[in-house]
Amino acid sequence: MNWLIISPILLPLVLACIMLLLWRHPVWQRWTALGGMVALVGCGAGLFGVVYVHGVQSEQLAGYGAPFGITFVADLFSSIMVLASAILGTAVTVYSMTNIENRRESFGYYPLLHLLLLGVCGAFLTGDVFNLFVFFEIMLMASFVLLTLGGERGQMEGAIKYVTLNLISSAIFLAAVGILYGMTGTLNMADLSNQVVWIAENRPEELPLLTILAMMFLIAFGVKAAMFPLFFWLPASYHTPPPAVSAIFAALLTKVGVYSMARFFTLIFTHDVGTTHMIILVLAGFGMICGVLGAAAQNEFRRILAFHSVSQIGYMLMGIGLIVMLAHRDDEIAHHAVQMGLAGTIIFVVHHLFVKPNLFLVSGVVERIGGTGELKKLGGFYKTEPLLAIMFLISALSLAGIPPLSGFWAKYILVLAGLQLEQYFIVFIALLTGLLTLYSMVKIWAAAFWTDVPDDSPVHNAAHMAHAKHGIRRMIYPIAVIAVIIVLFGVFAGPIFDVAMEAAAQMLDPSAYIEAVQFEEFSPTLGRGEEADS
Amino acid sequence: MELILAIVIGALYAAGLYLMMRRNLVKLIIGLVLLSQAANLLIFTAAGLRSPNAPLIPPGEKYPVGDFADPLPQALILTAIVIGFGVIAFTLVLFHRAYQSTGTDDLDQMKATDT
């Protein structure tokens, strides 16, 4: 039994239960949560190491072979995601100790954080479509409660939109799962990959139906990933909860959608890349430009950041969408460029998983000291908090794609792949979006850090400052650690690129993934043909 | 049978989406319930209405003989119902709290956080 694969799922589950037993002791919950997150980093690092050295790992719970057992698969992409999520979870847990007030802490904030991680890690590691749905729901339930914890009016209004749109997407997901099962007779992802090939060879007349199914999954994941034009819940809700919650949402929730999309559209729905991936590419372009223009119109710290996520999701989808060129070109260069594009997506996901939450964490400190997130009422942070200002600058410039920070390499690889595939229009949009991103970041910088302190700012109030500064180190240290990660990410871009290329190769050639899953010798779906169709 | 169920599912989806497009919170949640029920019925129908016989393996055989109902879609639906129940319960409480804190059940009045 390969415990390492299921440890990122078991560990948060067990710890969440323990913390629920410690309901009356929020302080104990804190340290349990922190210990759990550190252990989760250990599990993620171990899993990544094993996958990197030995290749794709899989485990069949219940002891039955696929497609009957409960499949968990860890390839490079999923293990990277687990590791990155755990690191970020640790940082946010430390940050929460100061940022989350007692009234939220005592209503189960830390257990919910672990349940969120449980759903996220489960979604990364599962090898079964229905279990993906279940883990999505676990993640969503935890996020619903985290979003509304505290019960402020803004949170309620944001949550209504968030909950409603996500439930619609779940209903579409569920319907698509049902039809997929009706068509193929299996829900195991590795098996589905085989079945789609089988359908393409033996029943080409069913392929259009498969394309419709692919679109249903695209919509279901698109809502979760805040893809254009399904993103409206994100700017309406992300700025309402405490900054620590905004940060963990920005890091993990949309990434799970992008991850699932990348998984489905490389492993399963590859029968008609000319249509499906073209749609993804077009939506990616719209998303980039729409998100960045929407952010430019905002005047509040966290609203700008939230809207920006939409355009960053566009970049992530661009790498998936570039697979479309495999339908038109079959030469060596095209294959290499497509692989590079997908590697760009992977790098961008990881880069964004650190940079965007870090900006949210900075916004939390600014709001705590400045008393508000509105840019007009802020100012002077470069003078009073120079270290914080530098850490903001590192993250913001990385988001905009200034070399040598992580965002530059992520965008550079995507743009290079786009140029090699001669997709000049999307490259143009990507570069233009980068420029406009810089505009928004400079706007925050100029308003919150560069100008003088406004006269009516609570910064002049000694009692407010004494309260705000209390325990602020626990908010600053995680930000500093993530800023260091961002810088290191840029410095070691070469080795990271190599790993991402390998992960992309694993995804584009699913044979390793399928081989890693142990199939049952007798499998009704594998031997399907005559009698199974009656 | 498939035809009847298909019409029922279509009607449920139509009614659910129509209710969700109204401005009323209560209609929104009824719409959500209808939508999740429609999805459950869709799984049931799409997976094939094959036979009413239970998938029991007779002694000495390796798998069920003759015509039998596929148990997997039923397991999926059961899980989906349980999840849907939890989610709807949470949504009800959320909407109740939202109604208390905003003092209105009109969705058009809840635009403070929109951008």
Side-chain angles (χ1 to χ4, degrees):
Chain A
M1 179 108 180
N2 195 341
W3 285 96
L4 202 54
I5 290 187
I6 49 170
S7 64
I9 300 162
L10 275 185
L11 190 73
L13 179 65
V14 171
L15 282 165
C17 294
I18 292 174
M19 281 184 274
L20 285 176
L21 292 176
L22 298 172
W23 184 260
R24 290 180 185 282
H25 308 279
V27 179
W28 294 7
Q29 285 185 21
R30 279 183 187 178
W31 298 107
T32 317
L34 184 58
M37 286 293 181
V38 173
L40 194 60
V41 174
C43 292
L47 187 61
F48 174 70
V50 169
V51 172
Y52 186 71
V53 176
H54 299 292
V56 184
Q57 302 286 308
S58 90
E59 177 58 45
Q60 300 288 332
L61 292 194
Y64 298 106
F68 303 113
I70 302 166
T71 312
F72 287 97
V73 188
D75 71 346
L76 263 178
F77 188 25
S78 49
S79 57
I80 290 170
M81 293 305 291
V82 169
L83 177 60
S85 308
I87 293 173
L88 195 98
T90 313
V92 170
T93 309
V94 176
Y95 186 90
S96 304
M97 290 183 184
T98 298
N99 185 237
I100 301 295
E101 311 95 322
N102 291 339
R103 66 190 172 98
R104 287 193 167 94
E105 254 184 353
S106 58
F107 278 96
Y109 172 78
Y110 294 110
L112 284 168
L113 209 55
H114 272 259
L115 285 177
L116 186 74
L117 261 290
L118 158 72
V120 169
C121 292
F124 289 149
L125 291 174
T126 185
D128 184 284
V129 180
F130 193 75
N131 282 351
L132 183 67
F133 170 75
V134 174
F135 282 119
F136 262 43
E137 294 301 304
I138 294 173
M139 177 186 90
L140 283 180
M141 274 310 268
S143 69
F144 290 165
V145 186
L146 278 175
L147 185 64
T148 50
L149 205 63
E152 287 159 22
R153 180 176 170 162
Q155 286 184 300
M156 291 297 149
E157 292 189 12
I160 287 177
K161 286 144 205 165
Y162 176 75
V163 169
T164 308
L165 284 173
N166 273 298
L167 289 187
I168 295 174
S169 117
S170 293
I172 295 172
F173 190 2
L174 196 58
V177 168
I179 301 173
L180 190 63
Y181 179 75
M183 264 188 86
T184 60
T186 181
L187 289 175
N188 185 290
M189 290 192 205
D191 199 14
L192 275 172
S193 186
N194 290 331
Q195 293 299 318
V196 169
V197 173
W198 187 88
I199 288 176
E201 279 169 6
N202 296 300
R203 292 212 208 127
E205 73 277 4
E206 280 187 11
L207 281 179
L209 189 57
L210 212 55
T211 308
I212 295 173
L213 264 179
M215 291 301 103
M216 285 177 79
F217 278 108
L218 184 69
I219 291 173
F221 297 143
V223 173
K224 318 260 179 205
M227 177 182 78
F228 177 89
L230 307 165
F231 61 80
F232 291 98
W233 57 270
L234 191 148
S237 63
Y238 265 27
H239 58 93
T240 57
V245 178
S246 294
I248 195 111
F249 278 17
L252 300 180
L253 295 187
T254 48
K255 303 300 178 302
V256 176
V258 173
Y259 169 86
S260 311
M261 218 183 272
R263 179 67 71 210
F264 271 60
F265 285 89
T266 55
L267 182 65
I268 300 172
F269 297 120
T270 49
H271 57 281
D272 186 10
V273 288
T275 313
T276 49
H277 291 65
M278 192 64 206
I279 294 173
I280 297 179
L281 192 63
V282 170
L283 294 179
F286 273 113
M288 281 188 230
I289 208 78
C290 229
V292 84
L293 288 179
Q298 302 297 322
N299 282 309
E300 203 194 282
F301 205 142
R302 279 200 277 162
R303 284 185 194 232
I304 294 177
L305 296 179
F307 231 120
H308 251 293
S309 289
V310 176
S311 80
Q312 309 292 320
I313 297 296
Y315 282 104
M316 296 171 208
L317 297 184
M318 176 181 161
I320 306 172
L322 282 176
I323 298 175
V324 67
M325 290 312 286
L326 287 185
H328 308 295
R329 284 169 59 176
D330 201 30
D331 48 309
E332 189 79 15
I333 302 169
H335 277 279
H336 184 259
V338 162
Q339 187 189 351
M340 198 155 74
L342 204 57
T345 294
I346 295 169
I347 292 181
F348 207 103
V349 168
V350 179
H351 140 77
H352 190 255
L353 204 149
F354 287 112
V355 169
K356 183 47 71 71
N358 209 29
L359 289 167
F360 272 111
L361 297 182
V362 171
S363 83
V365 178
V366 168
E367 281 179 26
R368 188 179 174 89
I369 295 175
T372 173
E374 276 185 53
L375 291 179
K376 258 184 273 173
K377 298 178 186 164
L378 290 170
F381 277 91
Y382 181 63
K383 212 172 184 180
T384 53
E385 303 280 340
L387 209 63
L388 184 74
I390 286 167
M391 289 183 294
F392 171 80
L393 206 58
I394 289 174
S395 310
L397 292 182
S398 177
L399 190 74
I402 303 292
L405 297 160
S406 58
F408 167 73
W409 297 108
K411 285 182 189 175
Y412 176 69
I413 292 161
L414 280 172
V415 165
L416 200 61
L419 287 178
Q420 286 185 2
L421 291 168
E422 295 168 348
Q423 294 289 302
Y424 300 117
F425 192 66
I426 192 88
V427 168
F428 169 72
I429 292 180
L431 293 174
L432 182 71
T433 306
L435 202 66
L436 290 169
T437 308
L438 193 59
Y439 163 73
S440 286
M441 290 303 122
V442 168
K443 187 163 88 176
I444 299 179
W445 171 258
F449 292 91
W450 207 241
T451 52
D452 291 330
V453 185
D455 295 332
D456 58 345
S457 168
V459 175
H460 305 299
N461 183 336
H464 166 79
M465 285 307 279
H467 172 71
K469 289 271 183 182
H470 179 72
I472 197 113
R473 276 191 195 159
R474 281 189 297 217
M475 293 169 82
I476 300 278
Y477 290 156
I479 298 174
V481 169
I482 298 180
V484 169
I485 291 176
I486 293 167
V487 173
L488 289 179
F489 200 100
V491 173
F492 294 104
I496 289 171
F497 176 68
D498 291 341
V499 174
M501 279 299 267
E502 207 171 313
Q506 274 180 4
M507 293 177 77
L508 287 171
D509 178 18
S511 55
Y513 187 98
I514 296 168
E515 265 170 36
V517 177
Q518 304 103 20
F519 279 95
E520 192 81 1
E521 274 173 33
F522 158 71
S523 168
T525 48
L526 277 182
R528 128 179 173 161
E530 311 81 40
E531 82 287 340
D533 294 326
S534 55
Chain B
M1 192 62 193
E2 273 93 348
L3 186 69
I4 301 171
L5 275 174
I7 293 169
V8 170
I9 294 165
L12 278 174
Y13 267 110
L17 287 174
Y18 174 73
L19 284 171
M20 295 183 82
M21 281 184 250
R22 306 301 297 264
R23 283 156 51 180
N24 189 300
L25 269 183
V26 179
K27 285 178 183 155
L28 176 59
I29 200 160
I30 297 174
L32 279 175
V33 174
L34 289 184
L35 218 56
S36 66
Q37 298 313 317
N40 288 340
L41 262 186
L42 183 62
I43 298 180
F44 185 65
T45 316
L49 306 169
R50 295 202 304 199
S51 156
N53 298 332
L56 296 177
I57 304 170
E61 296 284 339
K62 272 196 93 173
Y63 23 94
V65 280
D67 220 11
F68 60 90
D70 188 351
L72 194 100
Q74 301 176 18
L76 298 186
I77 294 169
L78 197 61
T79 316
I81 289 175
V82 173
I83 292 175
F85 173 75
V87 171
I88 291 296
F90 171 80
T91 317
L92 268 174
V93 176
L94 169 71
F95 284 12
H96 180 62
R97 288 277 294 144
Y99 174 68
Q100 280 180 334
S101 67
T102 57
T104 173
D105 67 345
D106 184 355
L107 283 166
D108 278 6
Q109 305 287 321
M110 301 188 183
K111 289 197 283 202
T113 66
D114 276 8
T115 41

